[in-house]
Amino acid sequence: MSLQWRYRVRPDGSFTRVANINGALDNVSDEELARLDTAIGGEGQDPESARPCSRCPGELLLYWHGPLATGVWMELCPACDAHRPAARALIRWHRDPDRDPTALPKLFEDWESETMAAHGWFRATPE
């Protein structure tokens, strides 16, 4: 079984990530993915950035459940995480009105790896 992620970036910088198992979504266009996102309530929801940071009084740019079974809740806070290289790069991307959506997968996965490592979890390397 192979797993890759498909990302759908909205104009405000928020996004969804969908598991593309064994290439099942390879033939699904970005427009079709956007329609699916809208159908399941991805558009028009309250922005996730309104959530407060658990470490400071500021608001998060992003919060995300860590990989399954880890119990880690990942937060991206501009004030608390700006010193971390991968977090800083994702913060810059998120705030850039001319953001390149194709850069998101690497930025997100680098941030996820950096955040999970801070909690003692490390990504398995392919054999």
Side-chain angles (χ1 to χ4, degrees):
M1 177 176 87
S2 69
L3 170 71
Q4 294 183 329
W5 295 103
R6 284 282 306 266
Y7 290 81
R8 155 113 157 73
V9 180
R10 297 182 196 102
D12 67 355
S14 64
F15 61 92
T16 55
R17 181 170 87 157
V18 179
N20 186 11
I21 299 170
N22 292 333
L25 298 175
D26 286 353
N27 294 324
V28 175
S29 70
D30 289 340
E31 292 77 21
E32 290 171 309
L33 201 56
R35 282 194 298 278
L36 176 63
D37 187 27
T38 302
I40 61 172
E43 295 288 346
Q45 292 181 332
D46 293 334
E48 292 184 2
S49 62
R51 186 181 185 111
C53 178
S54 66
R55 299 164 286 168
C56 79
E59 289 185 356
L60 298 174
L61 286 179
L62 176 65
Y63 59 95
W64 204 272
H65 287 286
L68 291 174
T70 62
V72 174
W73 186 251
M74 302 187 319
E75 297 181 332
L76 181 62
C77 174
C80 298
D81 297 320
H83 68 284
R84 297 172 41 216
R88 183 174 50 249
L90 187 53
I91 290 166
R92 274 194 214 124
W93 177 89
H94 194 275
R95 290 182 166 172
D96 182 355
D98 298 319
R99 68 184 67 83
D100 175 10
T102 63
L104 178 62
K106 178 160 181 21
L107 291 170
F108 181 85
E109 290 170 19
D110 288 350
W111 170 70
E112 181 180 50
S113 295
E114 180 181 76
T115 302
M116 294 305 295
H119 289 276
W121 293 90
F122 298 90
R123 193 176 299 272
T125 56
E127 294 182 22

